[in-house]
Amino acid sequence: MHALPLLLPALAVLAIAYRYYSAFLAARVLVLDDTRPTPAHTLHDGQNYHPTNRWVLFGHHFAAITGAGPLIGPVLATQFGFLPGFLWILVGVCVGGAVHDFVILTASIRRGGKSLAEIARTEVSPLAGLVTSVAILFIIVIALAGLGVAVVNALAESAWGVFTIAASIPLALAMGVYLHLWRKGRVGEATAFGVVGLVAAVVFGREVAASAWGHAVFSLTRGQLTVAIAAYGFVAAVLPVWLLLCPRDYLSAFMKLGTIGALVVGVLVVNPELHAPAISAFADGGGPIVPGKLFPFMFITIACGAISGFHALVASGTTPKMIDRESDARAIGYGCMLLEGLVGIVALIAAASLHPGDYYAINVSAQKYAGLGLSMVNLEALQHEIGEAVAGRPGGAVSLAVGMAQVFAALPGMKGMLAYWYHFAILFEALFILTTIDTGTRVARFLVQEFLGRFHPKLGQADWLPGTLLATALVVTAWATFLYTGSIDTIWPMFGIANQLLAVAALCIGAAVLRNEGRGRYAWVLLAPMAVLATTTLSAGVLSITDIFVPMAAKPGLAIKGWLNAGVTAVMLGCVLVILGDAARGWRRPLPRAGAPAA
């Protein structure tokens, strides 16, 4: 089977969903009203609250929500075959993920840009607000570890890849200084500098890696990379946002949108053959990459692309404070998530284009691979052309980069460019991951500071440097510990469970918002996907504890790791059950006066 019978219907379904279902949500469920002023106008301060052009904000929101999840999850889920993941992404994003993002964004807009935890406190109960805050903190820590393990496995012992990623940091710093101090408002000049610099880093990375000094400096072990990423996360969360975070997000937005557009065109032109089976023998369990059966583990392996709880933090974070008109929420909330679903679909196609022997050779250890009875088809020749050993690099990032590189190298005039396309793909993926790490670390730092401020008021002040350093150190230490001691087959399921549990909570909170606004008859648009997601995620959480983490704790030397993973997962499950129970009790309370609350 070739790719076009998947990609063309997917594009049609996504277009129909946006045209009709999002219009129904906007007109009947949420009743968007441009006469109602948004917080960007009522609370305008020129910094956090500022009316922003719809398409500029679209780019910002897409860059913020689209981390590595829609890239890595579909690749790992290819173990079950390409068809289950394709259907889950396509159906899930239209009726679940995009609805989730759209509703939470609108709810935050109408409540002065308040966070998900604050919305839970006012719309469900103070207990739900507190539990949501705790759940968010746990989820961010696990999410950052889950994304970090993919980039660590991809860049270990890869001097070319590490140099390329490292070069993006001074580029972003230079852009920040250029725009903030030297040439304010000269966005075009800074953009040209950044884009040219990124391309140059990929092109000249080969020569740097081949040199003695380049190999000595940039060829890092897995442990060294973990320390380096932790140091980056710490510095990025402490520095002013204009100096590193904003220019990195801006650069990554160009990379994300441009590369995904090029990949879609590449798939349409090349129409690669899908060598992966539609449904594999591992659908009944026993797979070497993802432990467990297709149900429920496929639904947490693809933790983004179909639906992502992490998006609720963005949809109730910076974006609602910059919305110019309520009607803009349709394109930004629903449309951006559809675009992320497309990212997941093309990532799945790229992974499925690899021969199973090559796919598993990359994504499992040599010992596991020997027991599968498979043999490499193209991988040895690909490794020679790329100039690096890519076998035995689990995490999904490397196999996706190989699949993407093969698609691009098959385009007219691209023969012999496989090595450059591979390292470009690695840069593309790493930018996805690092933008999530620096943003997530900063968000978690704010949560920790709010908590510490209850014990000492100064610790809760975001502009007090000692409190900032302490909170950031605690957050980085937490996710770096999971990253340093974990592996993809333990961390990624935890990340999937955490992310999807937050989505369950957000859908529940969104349904309470509709009910309190007098439109409870439309709550089914949230309760239906919530029921599916709650069933799959709670089942996966329980099975992960009983079948993975507790047996792990019984192995010599893994007791602490196993019980820690089991305990964290149990806490997250408990938090969501409390939110669901509290919300269910709230439905028995009398309705407030119909109509949306004033912003």
Side-chain angles (χ1 to χ4, degrees), residues 130 175 241 273 383 402 450 577 586:
L130 175 61
M175 286 181 64
V241 291
E273 182 179 357
Q383 288 184 128
V402 171
E450 288 177 6
L577 289 174

Side-chain angles (χ1 to χ4, degrees), residues 147-185:
L147 298 176
V149 72
V151 74
V152 164
N153 288 342
L155 296 178
E157 312 296 344
S158 174
W160 189 349
V162 171
F163 168 77
T164 303
I165 302 306
S168 69
I169 298 175
L171 280 174
L173 289 170
M175 286 181 64
V177 172
Y178 190 90
L179 288 172
H180 194 76
L181 300 178
W182 295 341
R183 301 272 286 177
K184 292 184 178 181

Side-chain angles (χ1 to χ4, degrees), residues 175-220:
M175 286 181 64
V177 172
Y178 190 90
L179 288 172
H180 194 76
L181 300 178
W182 295 341
R183 301 272 286 177
K184 292 184 178 181
R186 303 288 184 171
V187 178
E189 297 174 9
T191 300
F193 168 77
V195 172
V196 170
L198 284 178
V199 174
V202 175
V203 173
F204 293 107
R206 187 170 200 165
E207 284 67 34
V208 171
S211 67
W213 71 270
H215 182 80
V217 172
F218 296 108
S219 183
L220 304 179

